[in-house]
Amino acid sequence: SPGPVPDMYTSEILVPDTVIAGSEFNIEFQVVNQGTKTVLSPWNDRVFFSFDPVWNPDFAVALTTVEQDNPFIQGDIRNFSFRHIFGTNTVENIYYIYVVSDIDGQVYEGVAGELNNIQRSAAFYIKESPPIDLRLDTVTSSITAFYSGQTFAFEYEVSNNSIIPLS
């Protein structure tokens, strides 16, 4: 039988049930070393999103890479969280978040450990971004009468009534 090996396993991936394209939201995941050996060498975990419920790297888009360079003792748990915004042009659909532990194969985890490096979240829905809703609230000027071709100064206020912030 093989000697002690680490086994980095993503035990939990949390995303909201629904995300509005263009809005910021939180992605959380938890990695545990459920193996029998401490990881001493650095490795990278990568987070993807995809519309496919079955892992296919051709249909996955990388969101972030988490660089790991501290020893990871057997039984230890690491929690990660980051904010993300899907563009307003993201197609309304059901999606999944995938976490691929040790994406570059830097840590040998034995056969069983290598087979569980890809984990998927529950399905979540990306809703189409609502239209931008700008409203002209006020217009002010010190001039009370205007004539054609006249140059004058004025001030105005515009508000965004959409739930999507302007950038």
Side-chain angles (χ1 to χ4, degrees):
S1 87
V5 292
D7 181 10
M8 297 171 295
Y9 174 73
T10 301
S11 58
E12 188 171 72
I13 304 171
L14 300 174
V15 293
D17 292 336
T18 303
V19 173
I20 297 173
S23 295
E24 187 175 54
F25 70 100
N26 204 44
I27 297 172
E28 299 176 35
F29 65 99
Q30 183 177 78
V31 178
V32 60
N33 179 356
Q34 63 182 15
T36 56
K37 183 178 179 182
T38 296
V39 178
L40 297 174
S41 59
W43 78 95
N44 298 317
D45 296 331
R46 191 159 299 143
V47 179
F48 296 85
F49 91 102
S50 176
F51 63 87
D52 198 330
V54 177
W55 172 249
N56 183 336
D58 293 334
F59 299 131
V61 176
L63 300 179
T64 192
T65 298
V66 179
E67 297 177 0
Q68 307 277 2
D69 57 7
N70 293 320
F72 193 16
I73 298 168
Q74 62 270 26
D76 273 3
I77 296 171
R78 293 189 180 172
N79 295 298
F80 302 94
S81 178
F82 67 97
R83 307 285 295 163
H84 187 73
I85 299 174
F86 287 110
T88 56
N89 62 344
T90 302
V91 175
E92 188 166 324
N93 202 348
I94 294 173
Y95 291 91
Y96 303 88
I97 296 294
Y98 287 88
V99 176
V100 181
S101 298
D102 191 26
I103 185 78
D104 303 310
Q106 296 163 289
V107 177
Y108 177 70
E109 299 176 70
V111 175
E114 298 293 347
L115 292 177
N116 66 9
N117 282 0
I118 301 169
Q119 297 300 321
R120 185 194 81 198
S121 71
F124 70 101
Y125 187 69
I126 296 181
K127 187 171 173 56
E128 181 180 6
S129 178
I132 300 300
D133 184 11
L134 299 180
R135 181 180 74 202
L136 181 61
D137 292 325
T138 60
V139 178
T140 57
S141 176
S142 59
I143 298 176
T144 56
F146 306 95
Y147 60 88
S148 179
Q150 175 183 3
T151 302
F152 63 94
F154 67 97
E155 294 180 1
Y156 61 93
E157 289 184 18
V158 175
S159 61
N160 177 15
N161 294 324
S162 174
I163 62 171
I164 303 298
L166 297 175
S167 53

